[in-house]
Amino acid sequence: MKSALAILAICASFTALAAPAAAPSTTVRAGDTLRLDPTAANVKRVRAALHAARSENDKIDQIRRLATLYSRSNASGMNDAIVSELRTLAASPSRRIARSAIYPLAQAVGAEETIEILLRAKRAGLMESEEIAGELARALRFAPREQQLRYVQLIAAEQSRYGVDVMVSGFGSNLLDPMLPETRQAVGELLRRTRIDFPRAAASFGYVDAIRYAGWLHASALTEQWITRQPYEVTVMAHLDDPETDPRKLIAYLGTAEGKELMARVGRRGPLAGAVRRASGYADAYPHSLHVKKLVADIVGTWHKLPA
């Protein structure tokens, strides 16, 4: 889904502007902006502030700033120095400092070392299964294709719903195309084992639940297309046509950009009539859910534009 699950990310990103081009000071004050240009001068400046920090909170602030200066292009020429600093901090006796360094360190090193760092953090009690799986899922798209199968297997081993949510965020051909066939097979098996359900209370329709389900269905259909050559529309329509499918799931998927694109590809109202009718019935049953009624009205409007 197009950045739909960004709200579930563990690590916050930091935004602001760089310092002016004057000679850098040796400290970074609390009032300084968080986003700095990735230059060697700024790396040195933040490292100096990190070493001078007296409180744990100040040190964590500087770790976060330092992490923003790492770039895959190594724009500062200081990536090795940043990684070295993060390695030292990840071994800190302070749990908070170690955790603050482990996240950016795991994202900055090679695929094999990423796994080692995360599993070591789990053994040390610094990270839980949900966090491990989430970070592995986040790193999956950057891992060499020869390593991706192991990443997927480790995500599955953690039995983490969050890890699957992160994996399907931004899921698309750009992730699947380069994968080895056995990796795609493992992704498909993982998705089939981690179906999404809404809460038992029928009146409950949460946007996070909706986003999670729509992302899962989109990723499942794309993956099945690769594994079995079954067209994307066939997989999705099988879910939409199933009378046992929770109508909230119909609303969740059809209300997304992917849902609108599917309706356009199907091209006629007839095949979608049952799903749209059930979605409308749900909205009518809970008239006080104004956000649901608005979403369903949009779905119905898109459906009506199709030829009969």
Side-chain angles (χ1 to χ4, degrees), residues 3-11 162 166 169 207-209 211-212:
S3 70
L5 295 175
I7 58 174
L8 299 173
I10 291 177
C11 297
Y162 174 73
V166 174
S169 174
Y207 276 121
V208 171
D209 294 319
I211 288 168
R212 291 171 67 233

Side-chain angles (χ1 to χ4, degrees), residues 22-154:
S25 66
T26 57
T27 61
V28 178
R29 296 178 298 278
D32 284 355
T33 53
L34 290 175
R35 174 64 69 183
L36 302 171
D37 283 339
T39 65
N42 278 333
V43 172
K44 293 174 183 176
R45 179 183 179 219
V46 173
R47 290 182 73 193
L50 176 59
H51 297 159
R54 302 204 177 270
S55 74
E56 196 172 69
N57 285 343
D58 286 345
K59 192 174 286 286
I60 289 170
D61 285 344
Q62 301 308 331
I63 292 170
R64 290 170 174 167
R65 289 186 177 92
L66 185 65
T68 68
L69 296 175
Y70 179 92
S71 63
R72 293 187 181 276
S73 64
N74 197 13
S76 69
M78 298 283 285
N79 273 3
D80 288 346
I82 294 171
V83 169
S84 177
E85 195 79 66
L86 292 173
R87 285 189 206 284
T88 300
L89 292 160
S92 169
S94 163
R95 175 184 173 85
R96 291 181 64 218
I97 289 173
R99 277 175 55 87
S100 296
I102 284 169
Y103 282 107
L105 177 61
Q107 295 172 21
V109 297
E112 190 64 35
E113 190 177 356
T114 293
I115 293 172
E116 293 174 7
I117 289 168
L118 294 175
L119 295 184
R120 187 164 61 242
K122 183 181 178 183
R123 289 193 298 270
L126 293 171
M127 297 178 74
E128 303 293 336
S129 288
E130 293 287 298
E131 297 169 306
I132 297 293
E135 290 306 300
L136 288 168
R138 205 184 320 280
L140 174 63
R141 66 197 66 232
F142 302 113
R145 65 201 305 252
E146 297 77 15
Q147 293 281 356
Q148 287 179 323
L149 176 60
R150 189 172 178 213
Y151 272 61
V152 176
Q153 291 170 335
L154 287 169

